Amino acid sequence: MLKTAEHLYLQIADRIEQLIEKDVLKIGDKLPSVRMLSKEQGVSLSTAFQAYYHLEGKGLIEPRPKSGYYIRFSPRKLRDIPKTCEPVKKASEVTVHEMIDRVFAHMAADNILKFSIAAAADSLLPAAKISKSMVQALRNMPGNGIGYESIQGNLQLRRQIARMSILWGGVVSEEDVVTTNGCTDALTLSLCAVTQPGDTIALESPSYYGSLQLAASLGLKVLEVPTNPVTGVELDYLDKAIPRHNIKACLFVTNFNNPLGSCMPDTHKRELVHILEKHGIPLIEDDIYGDIYFGRERPALCKTFDESGIVLACNSFSKSLAPGYRVGWTLPGKYKEKVLRLKRNHSIACASLPHAAVAHFLENGRYEHHLRSMRKQLHTQSLRYLQAVADYFPEDTLVTRPMGGFVLWLALNENINTYELYELALKNKISFAPGRIFSLQDRYRNCMRLSYGNPWNKQVEEGIKTLGKLIRKLKG
Amino acid sequence: MLKTAEHLYLQIADRIEQLIEKDVLKIGDKLPSVRMLSKEQGVSLSTAFQAYYHLEGKGLIEPRPKSGYYIRFSPRKLRDIPKTCEPVKKASEVTVHEMIDRVFAHMAADNILKFSIAAAADSLLPAAKISKSMVQALRNMPGNGIGYESIQGNLQLRRQIARMSILWGGVVSEEDVVTTNGCTDALTLSLCAVTQPGDTIALESPSYYGSLQLAASLGLKVLEVPTNPVTGVELDYLDKAIPRHNIKACLFVTNFNNPLGSCMPDTHKRELVHILEKHGIPLIEDDIYGDIYFGRERPALCKTFDESGIVLACNSFSKSLAPGYRVGWTLPGKYKEKVLRLKRNHSIACASLPHAAVAHFLENGRYEHHLRSMRKQLHTQSLRYLQAVADYFPEDTLVTRPMGGFVLWLALNENINTYELYELALKNKISFAPGRIFSLQDRYRNCMRLSYGNPWNKQVEEGIKTLGKLIRKLKG
């Protein structure tokens, strides 16, 4: 009997695999429930479950919490993952980047198919629901919210942020939270609190160009640290680099790094905190993508393992809820008083109403509900885009496998200059982020960041196809 | 006939003066219109007008645009104006001020009578009307305003700000405006754009403590420039100090300076721009009190006379409309690109909805209407407070005569330490800003800033009376 059952589940699994192969079942498609499959196929529940378990083991399908099984992708066809970069010889003076200005300028342009923005399309955000919370905030706040918010920030919002810390294993109280004008403001205040102009800080390589420019504007030098596309910063290298380059602080995106997509395993996070404690330097942890996870659980933070208050964890609701509301925060650990004084000196307080509106939205449990559906949709999008890269880009293309966030990082053939490709793509009304802007070194010329924040559709598919054609053209 | 008429107007004027003397007519009371007076007294219109003109000449009454004549104050009783401070020997390193932290902390405290905040009481602000504009903005904005605002800022708002420049003689287009999170953010971005850490900047003396702390947090040194309580910065001194102290930029509050209340005459403004052009350094002009004028016309800016783009004029709607909305701007002149890049790097964009709401409020002419009534009320409050100081403070008290803004600056007997007075006052549930925090030098120990932002009432009068008693106690 056991043998037959084994046979049976393999037969079922094989049939599903063929359907995937023939593209009948597409990436992101939901499979029948185990119960449904057992009925349809006239097999036991455990046989049906075994079939799915087998396919999951092969990486062809995946379970999603409280939702069932979904088609993943055909791993055979997918491109390989890019390599960790080589270490650099020395820290570099931050210089001005006309290239970054240009890419920023095109982000605001209309009628361009934008693969360049590491964020969700507006259609994925709950505009109507958050607006209702705004109207409530207008009604509920004393003086309709025209008065100054306290310097530390809206109390209700800080309570909700503290409450959410359970999800990443934090033990945070409302007193530990300082609200900010979005995450970038949180990073600015946190960096100012722990560095002096002229100091060197460590960033991942490749690094989000905004962070490179922020460092430049604060008069900081940057050491780019080799970063593994799956597990994040190379810790052994960092441990040695800190004294060698007299590094005063680290600024890392530990969860679903932009642009690499890497997510540090807990063991690495714990070790990173340990290394920094040993050297006596702080970590600014940019967790802006942490809520956008595709796995079963929200990843932890380095902050989770921080017992001495050396981690300043920064985040916002700009990627997940309402970028225009500019609602962010930092958990500045032992640097709280410094951060508060900087906030007071640089901008006094945050806009009262948007912060109160987000607090209201969170209090009603709407945020978690919204995140669940947004994560599912983004996960599916990520897989479709990955598949399209496999289908339309040259075979020597390398690509990451992000398990959260909004972006793919691609390494093309070494002969391709992606800034040239960028200019070509713009003529075709397509934009992406060329790899060169993710480093102050002359690096990543053949790389590019492709956002999957836009819902999958014919236009997107055509866009990726066009990019593939342009790459082949440049190559030839 | 002429003689009799002369006689007549003097008789009428005398009667009114006696009524003022006996406190029957109180500060801020409206007088009958000229027409009414002529009817009541059975005299010609020109005689009635002459009577008022005579009283105006004596400083007892004053005309207000489109409103008529009001009781001013009895100048004989008023205290003298404080003197310009002496120059300092050298620029000072900015150090941290526990004192300022303490004053800030008490600003947030409840159940204290606050003479410490240079702003209008919430009751003077149009909470309900601006809320309506917020609801309109929610309705009108694409995606209900959840998306990122452009880096330069809301276009409708920039248009309205440009339109308002007519009032101060500016020729500004929407392209010249960069919006910010309130005025402090505008000052921060502007200072960052024109200085490097370690540079020396010139500020007025006394100076708003927030600006001193802002300079500190940016690693700047500060030279405090002697400032006349009526006409502002001493230009001859400044002209010589710039090369001597290697000053890289000036940050001045040219209109209704905080705390002095000084307003630079146009000739001074013109000359200041000329001096700075000669030395090739920029002026950051903090115009946050410019709209709160008590005279006939809005004062000009240095920006009005700036032809080479060296003035970065900063302002906000925080003092006049809705502090909690955090809507400010800078007109950065030739530093626009630098300011834009800094804004992008430090916080990306401003909160979409509050900026759109203010734009809507302005488009409908509501702002000018609101300002007219707010200015009248504040003017009256300023006079009542001035009179109360004359009534309840020791005779050797010196006090400014601001023609705009929210604050009086007082110099008490040299033996009075106003920080001691501050501690005593706090025990009596009263706060003000002690003079010492308005300088990095050991200065102004006997001075204090008293805000008249709270509407005049019995409690306020009692508060000032109590302060007077505490001063006498300290003196004895």
Side-chain angles (χ1 to χ4, degrees), chain A residues 270-281 305-310:
Chain A
R270 212 184 280 270
E271 198 189 332
L272 175 55
V273 171
H274 177 72
I275 289 170
L276 299 184
E277 273 175 349
K278 189 180 72 185
H279 292 291
I281 67 169
F305 309 110
D306 170 33
E307 283 171 12
S308 51
I310 61 163

Side-chain angles (χ1 to χ4, degrees), chain B residues 62-208:
Chain B
E62 65 186 348
R64 295 195 191 163
K66 295 182 191 165
S67 182
Y69 279 88
Y70 287 76
I71 304 296
R72 210 162 162 228
F73 51 76
S74 9
R76 282 175 309 240
K77 282 179 72 188
L78 279 192
R79 306 301 179 220
D80 282 345
I81 296 174
K83 308 267 179 302
T84 306
C85 78
E86 291 296 308
V88 296
K89 295 280 183 300
K90 63 184 192 70
S92 31
E93 292 281 347
V94 177
T95 55
V96 176
H97 287 155
E98 300 304 320
M99 218 186 262
I100 300 181
D101 288 353
R102 202 164 143 67
V103 175
F104 259 117
H106 292 134
M107 280 185 190
D110 286 333
N111 71 356
I112 286 185
L113 178 59
K114 286 171 205 154
F115 297 126
S116 55
I117 301 175
D122 284 355
S123 64
L124 299 189
L125 302 175
K129 280 179 187 158
I130 184 74
S131 298
K132 279 185 193 159
S133 289
M134 178 61 99
V135 172
Q136 284 301 323
L138 257 177
R139 271 191 213 144
N140 300 345
M141 288 197 90
N144 302 117
I146 58 161
Y148 281 111
E149 187 48 84
S150 74
I151 294 166
Q152 189 164 353
N154 183 290
L155 181 63
Q156 282 72 35
L157 179 64
R158 288 191 280 124
R159 273 188 195 146
Q160 290 302 314
I161 290 166
R163 193 184 55 76
M164 278 163 51
S165 72
I166 300 163
L167 300 172
W168 50 265
V171 186
V172 170
S173 95
E174 61 205 37
E175 282 309 310
D176 302 324
V177 184
V178 178
T179 67
T180 58
N181 298 312
C183 188
T184 308
D185 185 36
L187 296 175
T188 306
L189 294 172
S190 299
L191 266 176
C192 284
V194 301
T195 63
Q196 297 289 327
D199 282 357
T200 297
I201 62 168
L203 262 65
E204 288 123 334
S205 185
S207 253
Y208 169 52

Side-chain angles (χ1 to χ4, degrees), chain A residues 324-381:
Chain A
Y325 277 41
R326 313 308 301 131
V327 180
W329 71 92
T330 174
L331 307 172
K334 67 178 183 183
Y335 302 96
K336 181 184 154 193
E337 291 309 317
K338 271 196 172 177
V339 166
L340 274 177
R341 181 176 284 133
L342 282 163
K343 181 179 175 188
R344 191 184 73 196
N345 292 339
H346 290 199
S347 68
I348 304 183
C350 295
S352 309
L353 286 167
H355 285 241
V358 170
H360 182 269
F361 191 83
L362 266 67
E363 275 164 8
N364 290 276
R366 287 178 189 158
Y367 185 57
E368 278 148 53
H369 183 258
H370 154 67
L371 272 184
R372 268 199 296 279
S373 80
M374 183 173 164
R375 280 194 295 253
K376 265 187 218 164
Q377 189 161 354
L378 278 167
H379 189 186
T380 302
Q381 283 172 212

Side-chain angles (χ1 to χ4, degrees), chain A residues 96-98 100-102 104-105 108 117 119 122 125-128 130-132 134-135 138 143-149 151 181 184-186 188 192 197 208-210 213-214 217-218 318-319 321-326 341-342 344-354, chain B residues 96-98 100-102 104-105 117 119 122 125-128 130-132 134-135 138 143-151 181 184-186 188 192 197 208-210 213-214 217-218 318-319 321-326 341-342 344-354:
Chain A
V96 175
H97 286 156
E98 301 304 320
I100 299 181
D101 287 352
R102 203 165 143 67
F104 260 116
I117 301 177
D122 284 355
L125 301 175
I130 184 75
S131 298
K132 279 184 192 159
M134 178 61 100
V135 172
L138 258 179
N144 302 119
I146 59 161
Y148 282 112
E149 188 48 83
I151 294 165
N181 298 311
T184 307
D185 185 35
T188 305
C192 284
Y208 170 53
Y209 45 88
Q213 288 217 322
L214 172 56
S217 79
L218 299 178
S318 302
K319 298 294 180 184
L321 187 53
Y325 277 41
R326 313 308 301 131
R341 181 176 284 133
L342 282 163
R344 191 184 73 196
N345 292 339
H346 290 199
S347 68
I348 304 183
C350 295
S352 309
L353 286 167
Chain B
V96 176
H97 287 155
E98 300 304 320
I100 300 181
D101 288 353
R102 202 164 143 67
F104 259 117
I117 301 175
D122 284 355
L125 302 175
I130 184 74
S131 298
K132 279 185 193 159
M134 178 61 99
V135 172
L138 257 177
N144 302 117
I146 58 161
Y148 281 111
E149 187 48 84
S150 74
I151 294 166
N181 298 312
T184 308
D185 185 36
T188 306
C192 284
Y208 169 52
Y209 45 87
Q213 289 218 323
L214 173 56
S217 79
L218 299 177
S318 302
K319 298 294 179 183
L321 188 52
Y325 277 43
R326 313 306 302 129
R341 181 177 283 133
L342 281 164
R344 192 182 74 197
N345 293 339
H346 290 198
S347 67
I348 303 182
C350 296
S352 308
L353 285 167

Side-chain angles (χ1 to χ4, degrees), chain A residues 134-172:
Chain A
M134 178 61 100
V135 172
Q136 284 301 322
L138 258 179
R139 272 189 213 147
N140 300 345
M141 288 197 90
N144 302 119
I146 59 161
Y148 282 112
E149 188 48 83
S150 74
I151 294 165
Q152 189 163 354
N154 183 291
L155 180 63
Q156 283 71 36
L157 179 64
R158 289 191 279 122
R159 275 189 192 144
Q160 290 302 313
I161 290 166
R163 195 183 54 76
M164 279 164 51
S165 72
I166 300 163
L167 299 173
W168 50 265
V171 185
V172 170

Side-chain angles (χ1 to χ4, degrees), chain A residues 214-234:
Chain A
L214 172 56
S217 79
L218 299 178
L220 300 170
K221 286 187 239 175
V222 168
L223 183 82
E224 300 175 17
V225 178
T227 304
N228 182 291
V230 178
T231 58
V233 164
E234 298 284 358

